[in-house]
Amino acid sequence: MTLQGFLTLVDAGLAQIVPRDIARAGASAKLCAHTFAKFSRIYLFLAGLVLGLGQIAVPWLASTWLKLDSIEPSDLEFTLRLAFVLFFFQFWNTVHLGYWNGTQEQHRSNISQVVFASLKHGGALLMLLCWSPSAKSYLIAFSAGAAIEWVCNRKLIATDLPQHPSRLTFSELYATARSTATLSLGVVLGILVSQLDKLLLPGMVSIDNYGRYAAVAGLGLAFLQFQSPVVSALYPRLAKELPVGETKSLHTLVLAVIATNILPCLIAAAAAGWLLHLWIRSPIIVSMGTLPLQLILLSIAANSAYQIFYQQILVFGDGRYVMCINACNIIVVTVFITLAAPHIGIVAGGAGWLLGACVQLIAGLIWVFVRKPRMIVAKAIN
C-alpha cells in the first residue's frame, strides 16, 4: 500500500493538466487528436520508465525494503513484479480518462471505471476463492483486467478521433514537459504531503497502533472520492470560461462542493464513533480512532472548500503558487507530526491532515483576493 501511494507521485499533475488542454483544444478535432497523442506518449514514457526501474529494483525491494522474517525474498519477487505491471497499465489508462473528462464526456469515464472495476474485483475474487488466497492471485486478476481496460478504452477513443494527428517531435514533447514543470512539481509536492503520515508514523508509534490508524484513515479518506465527479465534470468548463471572465460554472462548483463534499464530511465527523462501531465493531479502534477520524473528515471538508480556489489556480496556470503552498505544507506538517506523535500518538496523523488542509485553504483565499486580481490586471496590461 505504501509503494502504491508513492507511485502516485509519478503522475506529477498530468491528470489535472490533460483535461485542461483537451478542453482548450476541443474546438478542433485535429488539434484535439494531436493533444491526446502528445500526452499519451508522455504517459507511456513515464509508465515504461517506472516499470523498467521497478523490475530492476525488485530483488532489493524483496530482500531489504520489506522486513519479513517468515517469508523468503524469492517468494515475494513475482508479486512485486506484478505490482509494477499493474501500475504500468493503470497509469497509462489515466490519459483516456483525462481525454473523456476534457471533452466533458464524464459518463464514458464513469461507465468505464465502473465496468472494469467490477471486472477486476470479480476476477480477483474468483482467483482467490478458486485458485489461491494470495496477493499473487489478486495481482494477476487486476493486471489482466487493467490491460483489457486499456485496450478497450483506446479503441473507443480511436473511433472519436478518426483524423491522424501530425507527427510528434521530441522538441514538442520536451516543450510540453517544460511548460508544465512548475505546476507538475507543485502537484508532486502536494501528493507528497498526503503521504507524510504514512512516511512518519510507522517509525513513531507501535505497528499495532499504526495498523489501527491505517484502517481508520482508509475510511476517512474514502470521502475524498466525493470530490472527483464534481471536479471532473466542471473543470473543463472552468478552463474555457474563467479566462474570458465567465463564472457560471464556478458558482455551480461552489454549490456542488458544499452539497456533495463539505456537508457529508461534517455529518460523518459528528457521527464518527457510530460509523466506526458499525464498520469494524472493535472497542479499541472506536476508542482510539474516533478523534483521528473526526480530524481527517474535517480536513477533507476544508480541502473540498480549497478545491474552489485550487481549480481556478490550475486554470490560470499559477504553478509557482501551488509549489510554494505545498512546499510550505511539507515543512509545517512534517514538523508537527514529528513533535506531536510522541505525545498524542496516532491522533497526530489526523491533526496533521487538518493542519495541512487549513494551510491550503488560507493560501487559496489569499490567491483569490490578492494574487488573482493582480494577475488579471497584468494580463490586461500586456
Side-chain angles (χ1 to χ4, degrees), residues 191-259:
I191 298 173
L192 182 58
V193 172
S194 70
Q195 302 297 324
L196 286 176
D197 56 338
K198 301 179 184 67
L199 179 66
L200 299 173
L201 283 181
M204 307 185 74
V205 300
S206 70
I207 195 64
D208 290 341
N209 285 343
Y210 178 71
R212 296 181 180 107
Y213 172 80
V216 168
L219 175 60
L221 295 177
F223 281 75
L224 272 174
Q225 303 303 318
F226 290 172
Q227 296 180 8
S228 180
V230 171
V231 173
S232 296
L234 294 175
Y235 179 62
R237 301 182 192 177
L238 294 172
K240 292 181 178 180
E241 294 179 7
L242 291 180
V244 296
E246 296 182 16
T247 58
K248 180 180 179 180
S249 294
L250 180 61
H251 295 156
T252 303
L253 177 65
V254 172
L255 296 176
V257 162
I258 293 173

Side-chain angles (χ1 to χ4, degrees), residues 212 215-216 219 274-283 285-286:
R212 296 181 180 107
V216 168
L219 175 60
W274 177 80
L275 285 175
L276 281 179
H277 176 73
L278 181 67
W279 182 45
I280 298 181
R281 298 184 180 277
S282 168
I285 291 183
V286 172

